[in-house]
Every structure is written in C-alpha cells, then in structure tokens.
Amino acid sequence: MFVKPFRYERAEDLAHACEILRSHGDGAKAIAGGQSLMPMLNTGLLDCEVLVDISHIDLEDVGVRDGYLELGGLVRHARLASDSRVANSQPLIATAARHVGNARVRNRGTLGGSLAHADPSAELPLVMTAIGAKVLASNGSEVREIAAEELATSFLSTQLAEDELVVAVRVPVLGEGWGWSFNEITRRLGDFAVAAVAVLLRTAEGKVLEARVAAGAVGKTPIRLGGVEAALSGASRDELAERAQRLDEVDPPSDSNASAAYRKKVLGVLVRRSLLEAFDRAGVGESGAGGADAAESGAGESGSGESTDGSGRGEGQ
Amino acid sequence: MTSGGALAGPFENEVTLSFEVNGRRVTRRGPGHLSLLRWLRDLVGVTDPKYGCGEGVCGSCAVQVDGQVVSSCIVLAAQVDGAKIETASGMCGDDGSLSGLQQAFHEHHAAQCGFCTPGMLMAAASLLEDGRHRSRDEIREALHGNLCRCTGYGPILDAIEAAQAGREATGPRAGSETKLVAG
C-alpha cells in the first residue's frame, strides 16, 4: 500500500468542490465514499495531486415528489438497500443495492460515486439504465440532466466534465402493472458480476405491453438489450424464454472472470429468469420484495406521489 | 507490508486528525494521504486491524466508524476526522477480559493464524448488533466479505452461533461487544 502522496482538501460545499476541481484540472479527483477510488490508489492504478473530499457536502436527501423518487448523489448503498421509500418507489434499486460488494462497501459507497466511476459490471449504473433515470450533474453553478444510459461513454469513463459532480438521480416511481427483476451471476458472493440483468416490464391480460431490459458486465457500459425489448411486445409468459435469446447485438468481453462465450450464455439464462420473475410480479401487482412488502405498487408513503402512478413511467423516462 | 515503522515526517501534505479510538481520544499529525488503517497502525499504534488485500475485499482491516463496519484500508483517514473508531481489541474489558464473542472464538478454535480474526470479530459483532436471531446460513452469507485461509470457516460459524446463543440466554455481557452495540 505505497500510495503516491497527494494533498487532501475538504470541500465545504458544492461550489467549493467544483472550484477546486476546476482549478486543478486533471490533477484532482473527487472522493465520496472512496470504495472504488481508494483501491485504485492503493494498487497504483491511479494517482492524483489533490483529492477533493466531497463526502461532507449535503447531498444525502431521499424524497418522493410528483411521481419521482429523487436520490441525492451522496446517498450510500446501505441506505438505498434499507430505506422504505426506495423499496416502495423503485424496488429494483433497493434490490440491486443489496448486491453491491459487501456490507463494508455498502456502508461507505455512494450512488453518485458508483455512477461517476462507471464500472460496467456495477449494479447501480445498470438499474439506472434499465429504469431510465435522469442523472443531475452540477459544476457548482449550472445543473444539467443526463440520461443514465448516456452517462457512461466507455469503461470507467463518463461524459461528466472535470468540474462536474453527480448531485442527484431522479427516477420515476414504479407504476401500476409494472414488474421488475434484478439478477446477476458472480463467481463468489460480492464479486464483480460476470453478467447482470435488470428488467422492468408492464403487462396486461397476460401479455407484455412494455419492457425495459438492460445488462451489465457484457460491454464497455451497461447496455439496453434492444433486440429483447423489441421482441417482447405482446409476448405471453410462455413466449418469454425464446424472446430472451435475442442477443445478437451483444458482444461481451473476455477477462479473468469469464470468457465472452460464457458471458453470453449466462446472459441468456439471466434474461430468461428475469423476464419470468418480472412478468409474475407484474401480474400479481406487487412491487415489494425482500421484506419490503409494499401493499400497493408505486408511490411511497411520503409526498404527493401516490396519485401519479404510471404517469411518469414511460419510454425514455 | 504496511505496518513497518513509524512514519518519518514532516510531510508536505500534513493534516491533524483526532479520533476516539476504543474510547481513547487520540490526536496525531501525519500525511493526508493515509488510509484509516495506516493511521491507526502507524500513528496511533492500534495494530489489531490487519492489512490484507488493500482493496476492501478480504475484511481483515474491518473496524467500526461511528457504529458502521468499514474496510479501514479503503477509508481515507482525513475523511472521517473526528469519528468514533472501534476495533476488535476494544471489545475487551478494561482488565483485558474477553467479550462473549471473543471467548466463543477462543473456545471454538475459530482462529488459526489469527490474521483474519479481528475482522471476523468486527463483522460478527456488527451482524449480531440488532439482536435478531440469524441462522447459520445467514451468518455465512453476512461473512462473505471476510476471507479466512486457515479454518475453512466452520469453527468461525460455530463460534458466532455460540455467541449468539449465549446472548439470547443471558443478554450481552458487560465489558463485551456491547460497547460496540451501544456505539
């Protein structure tokens, strides 16, 4: 652990953080929970002149407003996994957060940090892509909105400018008739995924009406499985297994975790399982899992979101 | 690899940090790029958290920061300035007596080389904190982030189950990991 020395600077607020980042350009890195950055510093994969501590900025709000769940950039994984508003509004996020690393990682790691780090096998960028989340990025004076699936541009790369930070993520509350599923395969519990799949699916009268299907760890960024999504419209439960195999556009990498061929094979299995699970959840009209047991799908207990079920939940949202 | 010798300063990037480590207030001046693990081991002299992987994977450096278990090797010390830190040695009573959990590890031979043991104790203490009964499988799953290369895990699971049973029978004992629980 021979870390190349850097200077530590604690940002007092957002504007301060962005200002320090701007003034140092490439030489500065922002640290939130540090659960990816610190391992990279420890192993010498990365060095910097200045480390800007953004973890004391007030960006930890969780709220449900107008049919949207809004999550501050510094909300930690453990909170995503345990907060009932998250579980009730978007159970996919709560479930995915429980799969992140181990308990120690979840106690420190943050949502914004995970998105900005942009590891293609990470859980949260994947579910945000599946859900169609909007990522709010700020340079201290202006906030811009970035579609989650466009945030990452390649392996560990995003379109965030040097002085931009993820300040919040906004996702539509899961509406009536929607089911969800998250599945991943790891070599050992807590490892990086060999393949991961997140599904949101709306059914009526035993047929799929709409589906959003995304996969992680099978490309340079999380990807939407367009072939599967297109094939799902109007599908009955019995047809899901076959439609799950429309993976022609997927070209996974080979690495020390798995070969490309194995990744593609298990991806098909995960998509099939996830579609079936999401379909069954949609049919039952339940949106809770893992003890969340939301009686009614959709809006959480706080705010005025209850009446807006479904309205904010559509293509591209 | 990490623990050898005191750090010779002065450094250009020095910071002054103050922690409450196992109930003792310690203020030190040192380089701002140190992990909490190095700060504890090299500046404070608390050496029960161990440097294993340096990536937050093996769990041998686990400590509690303000009541939450973390990998101290991937927490930057300066980020948690002022925090209350509990390590495995802090579970002992003031007279050095073992906590219920430590005693169970001892009785069930849950340590061989002992390198993972402080982290295992921290993980187990954090798991049992809320008082909810955990099945053996739940304990196994909760410990997935802690690696042991000696025991094969069986004795560790035995010890944690025994400690849990002991608590359920008598309640957590004074001078034990209740200090962690209270944190």
Side-chain angles (χ1 to χ4, degrees), chain A residues 1-3 5-8 10 31-35 38-39 42-43 51 53 55-56 101-104 107-108 189-190, chain B residues 1-2 13 32-33 35 38 51 54-57 59 62 68-71 73-76 78-80 141 144-146:
Chain A
M1 193 159 45
F2 298 101
V3 179
F6 49 77
R7 199 168 80 247
Y8 169 84
R10 178 176 293 200
I31 184 167
Q35 300 300 284
M38 287 291 288
N42 283 347
T43 52
L51 202 56
D53 181 4
S55 68
H56 300 274
N102 54 50
R104 302 185 304 275
N107 279 342
R108 288 291 300 167
L189 205 56
Chain B
M1 219 192 309
T2 177
N13 62 345
H33 67 275
S35 66
R38 285 200 69 191
Y51 177 57
E55 299 176 26
V57 173
Q68 292 196 307
V69 66
V70 302
S71 301
C73 75
I74 55 168
V75 172
L76 190 69
Q79 280 197 291
V80 293
E141 184 175 336
H144 78 77
N146 291 75

Side-chain angles (χ1 to χ4, degrees), chain A residues 159-235:
Chain A
Q159 57 157 292
L160 293 171
E162 271 170 7
D163 62 349
E164 268 186 322
L165 296 170
V166 174
V167 291
V169 177
R170 189 183 296 146
V171 301
V173 168
L174 190 66
E176 206 69 50
W178 284 85
W180 57 277
S181 179
F182 177 87
N183 283 289
E184 67 178 12
I185 287 182
T186 56
R187 296 192 53 147
R188 294 163 304 194
L189 205 56
D191 277 5
F192 285 109
V194 167
V197 170
V199 169
L200 282 178
L201 185 152
R202 186 160 71 94
T203 65
E205 292 162 6
K207 305 270 189 207
V208 176
L209 289 182
E210 272 181 86
R212 296 180 63 93
V213 184
V218 294
K220 291 189 166 111
T221 68
I223 51 171
R224 293 273 295 278
L225 300 178
V228 175
E229 288 183 356
L232 280 172
S233 185

Side-chain angles (χ1 to χ4, degrees), chain A residues 87-131:
Chain A
N88 292 335
S89 314
Q90 268 298 354
L92 193 50
I93 297 174
T95 302
R98 289 184 199 115
H99 284 82
V100 178
N102 54 50
R104 302 185 304 275
V105 170
R106 293 191 294 274
N107 279 342
R108 288 291 300 167
T110 67
L111 171 59
S114 177
L115 292 171
H117 181 58
D119 189 309
S121 63
E123 288 84 357
L124 294 170
L126 167 60
V127 293
M128 294 309 173
T129 294
I131 293 169

Side-chain angles (χ1 to χ4, degrees), chain A residues 98 189, chain B residues 135-145 157:
Chain A
R98 289 184 199 115
L189 205 56
Chain B
S135 70
R136 193 173 175 94
D137 280 347
E138 285 175 311
I139 296 170
R140 189 192 301 274
E141 184 175 336
L143 290 184
H144 78 77
L157 297 172

Side-chain angles (χ1 to χ4, degrees), chain A residues 124-149:
Chain A
L124 294 170
L126 167 60
V127 293
M128 294 309 173
T129 294
I131 293 169
K134 296 280 191 254
V135 177
L136 305 183
S138 172
N139 63 5
S141 50
E142 286 169 20
V143 178
R144 70 182 173 120
E145 204 176 82
I146 304 166
E149 70 180 285

Side-chain angles (χ1 to χ4, degrees), chain A residues 174-312:
Chain A
L174 190 66
E176 206 69 50
W178 284 85
W180 57 277
S181 179
F182 177 87
N183 283 289
E184 67 178 12
I185 287 182
T186 56
R187 296 192 53 147
R188 294 163 304 194
L189 205 56
D191 277 5
F192 285 109
V194 167
V197 170
V199 169
L200 282 178
L201 185 152
R202 186 160 71 94
T203 65
E205 292 162 6
K207 305 270 189 207
V208 176
L209 289 182
E210 272 181 86
R212 296 180 63 93
V213 184
V218 294
K220 291 189 166 111
T221 68
I223 51 171
R224 293 273 295 278
L225 300 178
V228 175
E229 288 183 356
L232 280 172
S233 185
S236 67
R237 191 180 192 283
D238 291 341
E239 291 166 325
L240 296 179
E242 185 269 321
R243 311 281 163 102
Q245 305 309 317
R246 310 283 175 95
L247 299 170
D248 288 345
E249 80 267 44
V250 185
D251 183 20
S254 286
D255 62 23
S256 58
N257 262 330
S259 67
Y262 179 72
R263 277 206 157 90
K264 192 144 182 179
K265 175 135 183 130
V266 297
L267 176 64
V269 174
L270 287 178
V271 173
R272 172 168 52 80
R273 285 182 194 161
S274 301
L275 290 177
L276 288 167
E277 190 173 48
F279 189 95
D280 291 341
R281 283 190 173 126
V284 174
E286 70 170 26
S287 66
D293 80 270
E296 62 283 336
S297 74
E301 68 271 43
S302 66
S304 57
E306 286 89 343
S307 59
T308 57
D309 269 1
S311 62

Side-chain angles (χ1 to χ4, degrees), chain A residues 6-27:
Chain A
F6 49 77
R7 199 168 80 247
Y8 169 84
E9 290 209 31
R10 178 176 293 200
E12 302 302 331
D13 55 35
L14 182 65
H16 185 214
C18 297
E19 179 53 41
I20 307 173
L21 288 168
R22 202 158 30 239
S23 63
H24 291 281
D26 231 8

